[in-house]
Amino acid sequence: MTDTRRRCSLSFLALCVVCLCSCSSSITKEKLCVDNLNFSTQQLKLQYKLASVAKRNPRTTNVDGTMHWTKETADWTDGFFPGSLWYLYEYSHDKYFMKAAREMENLFISNRFSTQSHDLGFIFNCSFGHDLRLTGDAEARQVLIDASNSLMTRFRPEVGCIQSWDVNSGWQANRGWKCPVIIDNMMNLEMLFKASILTGDSAYQKVAVSHALTTMKNHYRPDFSCYHVVDYDPETGAVRSRETAQGFADDSDWARGQAWGLYGFVMCYRYTKNPVFLEEAKNIAAFIMNNPSIPSDNIPYWDYDAPADLRGRPRDTSAASCTASALIELSGYAEGTYLDYAKKILSSLSSPAYQAKLGENNDFILMHSVGSIPHNTEVDVPLNYADYYYIEALLRLKNLSSKK
Ligand code: GLY
């Protein structure tokens, strides 16, 4: 064989190896998505049968192992079960899921006029938001606008933020806060961006941008970790304190808070294309992905700084699934290893260590999430939002694979 022919053969061989490797990795990715979305459709079909009889949305599991349904007054987790059903409709094109999602979201439709909490974005964008996106339904459009108008009443102009919690009742009344804003609130902004698009009124978007910029300034530490709660003086806008409510300590890194912030800033970049939001998202992602306290399967402890002897230091699959979903979106905007990290999370979540068996776990998909250890509620349990962001992440990954 001449030198030139040998070089050609070697190059051809190398090309084949590269093709085979990338092919098998995309087959694996496709399989990860399809197998687990198929499983999710089976599991949530079972859960829907229970929910349809109870006429309530599933939230988590009680300490005695029974189902815990969402409460009737605006429950911040209300939108996630119908939202998961909408995603499964998008995946399967099976009208069964469309009907089921409509039935479950209509159970809380009247709460769109509630002005007592900031959670309206979680509740209505994750349910009626998908209804509008997938069906163009006129009622869903109006529900999003009504809920956005309710959320706008909580904007405090001196602060530049939407107030998260009221401080005159519940456990929040005992903390001495005046205008608490929690990092979770970044997730409610998506509905406001949509409301501006739907109505042509930029007021909603202006509030969302103001909230995000103020949060970036006051919630984040120099290493791009965040506090859970920043309390403001509503008259002057001054920061009164930086604390935690659901984390281990004021200065610790509550895992779901890091995920909410990451997801929130990626989403703000999607709607605004403002590079400061992308930069913030990349910095938060770097903080999470390089964090030595996250175990090698990429599923964080409920708080990165939680000591091992506190309640057995449970993991939080809800933080993991939300992070995976955000990183998949981020991988479309910036170079980096975001996708690999997200795939590792999804592979771990899809393993028997975290994924329930069919018909078990009250028919939730994932096990091992944490609601709030300081409040001693929902410790090491399934949570409807862990499932929602897991399905969302699998779909996002699948859509990336199909585009390729
Ligand atoms: N938004 C409440 C929580 O993350 O637990």
Side-chain angles (χ1 to χ4, degrees), residues 59 76-77 118-119 122 165 182 184-185 228 246 254 256-257 260 318 370-372 378 383 385:
R59 171 170 169 150
W76 81 272
T77 70
H118 69 144
D119 290 320
F122 275 119
W165 292 319
I182 62 175
D184 323 30
N185 208 337
H228 183 198
Q246 285 165 255
W254 176 49
R256 197 161 52 254
W260 291 146
S318 74
V370 171
S372 180
E378 301 175 331
L383 288 169
Y385 42 102

Side-chain angles (χ1 to χ4, degrees), residues 42-337:
Q42 288 179 285
Q43 186 80 329
L44 291 200
K45 224 176 212 183
L46 294 178
Q47 198 173 48
Y48 164 66
K49 284 186 185 143
L50 301 177
S52 184
V53 172
K55 299 200 185 329
R56 303 283 290 277
N57 277 290
R59 171 170 169 150
T60 180
T61 291
N62 292 314
V63 179
D64 66 5
T66 55
M67 179 75 93
H68 185 102
W69 306 101
T70 61
K71 58 184 192 297
E72 270 164 37
T73 48
D75 184 315
W76 81 272
T77 70
D78 256 332
F80 295 116
F81 182 61
S84 294
L85 297 173
W86 280 118
Y87 274 136
L88 295 178
Y89 170 58
E90 181 176 5
Y91 169 65
S92 65
H93 306 289
D94 181 346
K95 288 228 163 68
Y96 175 92
F97 284 110
M98 183 181 98
K99 283 203 210 108
R102 278 255 163 82
E103 179 189 330
M104 299 321 292
E105 71 188 6
N106 277 318
L107 294 175
F108 53 83
I109 188 170
S110 61
N111 291 337
R112 69 193 186 281
F113 298 114
S114 161
T115 54
Q116 277 154 22
S117 101
H118 69 144
D119 290 320
L120 294 160
F122 275 119
I123 299 170
F124 291 99
N125 186 49
C126 297
S127 52
F128 289 89
H130 293 300
D131 189 344
L132 179 62
R133 183 174 65 83
L134 295 169
T135 74
D137 184 68
E139 188 180 25
R141 177 182 184 281
Q142 192 54 46
V143 168
L144 284 189
I145 296 169
D146 291 343
S148 298
N149 287 333
S150 305
L151 184 55
M152 291 283 278
T153 66
R154 301 185 66 81
F155 184 63
R156 305 290 174 253
E158 294 307 323
V159 176
C161 277
I162 294 163
Q163 180 169 345
S164 295
W165 292 319
D166 285 348
V167 291
N168 51 3
S169 64
W171 59 269
Q172 289 94 337
N174 304 324
R175 298 287 298 249
W177 292 325
K178 286 191 173 174
C179 176
V181 176
I182 62 175
I183 188 64
D184 323 30
N185 208 337
M186 287 296 301
M187 302 295 284
N188 290 306
L189 306 182
E190 183 166 358
M191 184 172 73
L192 297 183
F193 284 118
K194 285 187 184 168
S196 273
I197 296 167
L198 293 174
T199 60
D201 180 349
S202 62
Y204 306 94
Q205 162 134 357
K206 282 190 185 135
V207 162
V209 167
S210 165
H211 185 101
L213 291 173
T214 310
T215 299
M216 203 183 325
K217 188 164 111 213
N218 293 326
H219 262 81
Y220 278 84
R221 307 175 184 125
D223 65 358
F224 295 97
S225 65
C226 68
Y227 291 92
H228 183 198
V229 186
V230 175
D231 185 40
Y232 292 94
D233 184 328
E235 317 274 307
T236 65
V239 171
R240 297 181 68 236
S241 64
R242 293 181 170 87
E243 302 175 37
T244 197
Q246 285 165 255
F248 167 63
D250 292 344
D251 285 337
S252 71
D253 306 326
W254 176 49
R256 197 161 52 254
Q258 313 313 308
W260 291 146
L262 172 67
Y263 191 112
F265 284 106
V266 175
M267 177 273 298
C268 285
Y269 179 69
R270 184 197 322 150
Y271 283 97
T272 62
K273 292 290 174 262
N274 183 339
V276 302
F277 293 139
L278 181 59
E279 223 26 58
E280 186 76 3
K282 282 161 61 179
N283 285 326
I284 300 168
F287 172 75
I288 295 174
M289 290 163 57
N290 298 323
N291 204 295
S293 68
I294 298 182
S296 60
D297 64 2
N298 290 1
I299 312 300
Y301 299 112
W302 68 281
D303 187 303
Y304 299 178
D305 304 307
D309 57 359
L310 183 61
R311 306 292 299 258
R313 191 160 52 162
R315 308 292 187 97
D316 182 9
T317 55
S318 74
S321 62
C322 179
T323 300
S325 188
L327 289 177
I328 294 167
E329 179 169 10
L330 183 57
S331 76
Y333 305 142
E335 293 293 325
T337 53

